[in-house]
Amino acid sequence: LTETVIALNSPHFEAYLRSRLRHTPDDPDLRCLLWRQLEHRGARLEAAQVLEHLAVTPCRQLTLDDRLDFAARAVVAVKALPPVQQDLDYLRELEARLELAQLQQQLCVELSQLTPEMQRSSRVSPPRTRTSPALASASSVEEAVSQLSHGPLLSLTEMFTNYADPFGLHESKLCLLWASGSTDELLIKAIWRDLLRQVLSQSRTGADLGTSFNYMSPRSPVSRHSPIGAFPSQSPDRQSKQLIELSLVDCLTRLGQRFVTESGGFGSSRAQMFFPLTEIVSTLEYFAVQKKFPVHWVPTILRDTRLLAGSYFVDAYDQLLHSKDSFWRRPEVRTRLFSAMVTVIEDFLTSGSVQLAMRPRMLQVGRMLDRVTSNLVDLNANSLDQKTSGAQGKDEEDQTQVVDRLRRVHDQLQRYYR
C-alpha cells in the first residue's frame, strides 16, 4: 500500500505528511514516508535534509544501524545532485555526521567484544582477580551497548569521555582522536602502548600472558631488580601465540591503512604521529625478548601487515639501536635488533619493493641504504676500539656476524639503487 501511494506522486500526500509532522515532528515512520515521497519526485536536497533529521533526532524506535543508513543515504542524495546544485558545505556536514555514526558503531562493536572476553577471563582468572574494580561488569557493558545502539548520535567528546576511555577501548580512542584532529603525541603513544599490551596479553589458556610485562615499560632501564632479570619468562602456548600474532597483524593492518591512507602516506607527520612505528616496534621487541621469541618474530608480523613501509620500519629499528636506554644497549638485545633490521630489509627487497612504483621504491631503498651505511661505520669503529683495548669474547663474535649480514644487505641495496 505504501509503495502504491508513493507511486501516485500526489502533492496532497506530501502536504498531508508535512501537516502531520508539524504535530509530531519526531515520528520516524511519517518522516520516512516523506523522504521516500521526496526522493520519488526527484527532490534530492529536501530528501537529504529529511534523512539528516532521521539520523540525528533522538528516537528509541531507531537503532544505530538505522541512523548509519540514513546518514549514508543523505550523503548519496546530495552527491547525486548536478555539480552546480551541490552545497559543498552541507555535504561536508553530512559526511561528518556519517563519520560520527561509523565511529559510534565501532564503539558498539568493541564493547560487544568485551563481554565474551570478560567471561573467558573470569573462568581462568584466580578468585582474587575476578572482582577487580578496574574491570567493567558485563551488565555495564550491555547497558553501554544499548545506549549507543538506541540513543542519538553522540559527539566525539561524549564518545571518548563516556565510553571509549572508561571501558579501555584503545582502538576507538585512537580513531576518535584522529577524527577530532588531535595533536597530543604523548597521549597517542600512551594509547598505542595500552592497545598493544592488551593484544599481547591475550591467551586461550590463561587470563594474562603479560603479567610481568605490565610492570615494566620498554623505556625503563633494566636493573638487577627487573622482572626480566629476576624471573624466568614463560612463553605462551602455541595457540595463544598464534592468536597474538593474528591479532597484531589485524590491528596493525587496519589502523595502518586507515591513518596512512587518509594522511597521504607514511612520510606525513600526521601518519607518523598516529602510527608511531618506533613505539610499536619497541613494545613488540620488548615483549619478544621477554618471552624469548625468535629474532624474526616481530619482522614477520610487520611483513604480514603488507604495509609498504620497509624504510620506516628500518628507521624504527635504527632509533632503538641509537637509544640511550640501558635495555636497548645490552649486547644481546643490540644483536637481536640488528638481525631484525636486516630481516626487514630482506623482506622488503624480496616482496615489498615489487609492489611500489619506481620512484617510491628508490626513495625507500635510499633511506635504508643510508641507515645500513651509518650503522656499519659505527660497528667498524666499535670493533676497532675493542681490538685496541684487547677485548675479546662472544660479543665480538656476534658483532662480526652482524657486520657480515649488514654488508651483504648493503651490497643488495646498492645493486637496487643503481
Side-chain angles (χ1 to χ4, degrees):
L1 181 60
T2 302
E3 296 293 338
T4 304
V5 172
I6 291 174
L8 291 174
N9 198 21
S10 169
H12 302 294
F13 181 56
E14 183 178 329
Y16 165 76
L17 291 174
R18 291 187 183 278
S19 174
R20 287 285 305 276
L21 283 168
R22 279 194 286 271
H23 298 287
T24 54
D26 296 332
D27 188 320
D29 296 327
L30 289 176
R31 203 161 287 276
C32 280
L33 284 173
L34 179 59
W35 149 56
R36 295 183 64 183
Q37 175 70 16
L38 292 169
E39 189 178 59
H40 186 268
R41 72 174 177 87
R44 292 191 176 92
L45 184 58
E46 293 178 73
Q49 291 168 346
V50 174
L51 286 165
E52 180 193 10
H53 190 282
L54 284 165
V56 302
T57 303
C59 177
R60 297 292 296 180
Q61 293 175 253
L62 297 176
T63 65
L64 181 57
D65 288 338
D66 294 330
R67 297 182 187 282
L68 190 59
D69 180 62
F70 292 140
R73 287 178 181 274
V75 171
V76 171
V78 174
K79 286 185 175 181
L81 290 168
V84 293
Q85 296 180 21
Q86 288 184 8
D87 185 339
L88 296 181
D89 290 336
Y90 182 55
L91 178 59
R92 281 191 287 269
E93 184 181 334
L94 290 176
E95 289 174 336
R97 294 193 188 282
L98 176 59
E99 186 178 18
L100 279 179
Q102 291 169 337
L103 289 169
Q104 193 161 323
Q105 187 182 51
Q106 180 178 339
L107 273 176
C108 273
V109 171
E110 282 197 65
L111 275 170
S112 300
Q113 293 170 349
L114 281 183
T115 304
E117 287 179 9
M118 288 189 296
Q119 291 172 347
R120 183 170 64 249
S121 178
S122 65
R123 287 196 299 269
V124 298
S125 298
R128 62 185 177 85
T129 62
R130 289 184 186 177
T131 57
S132 171
L135 293 175
S137 65
S139 60
S140 64
V141 171
E142 291 172 1
E143 182 182 355
V145 171
S146 177
Q147 291 170 355
L148 289 169
S149 300
H150 296 91
L153 290 186
L154 303 176
S155 67
L156 294 172
T157 302
E158 289 173 322
M159 283 189 268
F160 190 97
T161 305
N162 299 335
Y163 297 96
D165 195 35
F167 289 98
L169 307 178
H170 306 304
E171 189 169 332
S172 285
K173 285 196 281 186
L174 287 172
C175 293
L176 289 167
L177 289 174
W178 172 268
S180 69
S182 173
T183 56
D184 192 337
E185 189 171 356
L186 292 178
L187 175 60
I188 292 166
K189 286 183 177 180
I191 294 172
W192 263 107
R193 286 195 294 273
D194 291 339
L195 172 61
L196 291 173
R197 290 176 184 184
Q198 186 180 68
V199 175
L200 292 169
S201 297
Q202 294 183 83
S203 172
R204 289 189 180 277
T205 58
D208 185 11
L209 290 175
T211 304
S212 60
F213 174 75
N214 289 332
Y215 285 112
M216 181 178 170
S217 165
R219 293 180 171 185
S220 61
V222 176
S223 67
R224 60 183 176 178
H225 302 296
S226 161
I228 289 183
F231 303 102
S233 180
Q234 182 178 1
S235 293
D237 60 276
R238 184 177 178 182
Q239 280 189 328
S240 297
K241 186 179 176 184
Q242 289 177 342
L243 174 64
I244 290 171
E245 291 166 355
L246 291 172
S247 299
L248 282 172
V249 170
D250 181 57
C251 174
L252 293 176
T253 302
R254 185 170 55 251
L255 291 177
Q257 288 177 345
R258 174 167 190 160
F259 297 148
V260 173
T261 302
E262 293 184 16
S263 58
F266 276 99
S268 71
S269 58
R270 187 159 166 75
Q272 292 174 12
M273 181 188 301
F274 274 88
F275 200 71
L277 281 173
T278 303
E279 198 72 42
I280 293 168
V281 170
S282 67
T283 303
L284 297 183
E285 283 291 355
Y286 178 85
F287 181 80
V289 170
Q290 187 185 20
K291 299 301 178 184
K292 300 178 181 178
F293 286 170
V295 173
H296 58 77
W297 188 72
V298 176
T300 301
I301 288 172
L302 297 177
R303 181 200 65 198
D304 290 347
T305 62
R306 301 186 183 278
L307 297 172
L308 303 177
S311 66
Y312 299 97
F313 295 151
V314 172
D315 286 345
Y317 277 103
D318 186 69
Q319 288 189 42
L320 293 181
L321 285 164
H322 289 86
S323 170
K324 297 187 183 300
D325 191 306
S326 60
F327 176 74
W328 304 115
R329 304 301 298 174
R330 292 165 62 178
E332 68 275 16
V333 175
R334 284 180 61 79
T335 300
R336 179 189 181 93
L337 293 178
F338 275 121
S339 298
M341 185 170 73
V342 170
T343 303
V344 167
I345 296 173
E346 290 173 343
D347 288 340
F348 176 81
L349 294 178
T350 302
S351 57
S353 62
V354 298
Q355 301 177 48
L356 289 170
M358 177 64 73
R359 180 174 171 76
R361 179 167 71 243
M362 297 308 292
L363 287 173
Q364 291 214 36
V365 169
R367 287 167 62 95
M368 288 188 280
L369 188 58
D370 290 342
R371 297 291 179 268
V372 172
T373 302
S374 65
N375 279 290
L376 275 173
V377 171
D378 292 342
L379 286 170
N380 286 328
N382 291 338
S383 179
L384 184 61
D385 291 341
Q386 288 177 356
K387 288 179 181 178
T388 303
S389 62
Q392 300 290 332
K394 185 177 183 303
D395 291 345
E396 186 181 3
E397 294 177 8
D398 291 341
Q399 183 167 309
T400 302
Q401 293 177 1
V402 166
V403 169
D404 289 341
R405 288 195 68 188
L406 282 173
R407 282 175 178 164
R408 285 197 296 272
V409 82
H410 181 271
D411 293 341
Q412 287 180 281
L413 288 169
Q414 278 192 321
R415 286 195 293 272
Y416 265 86
Y417 201 61
R418 288 171 185 166

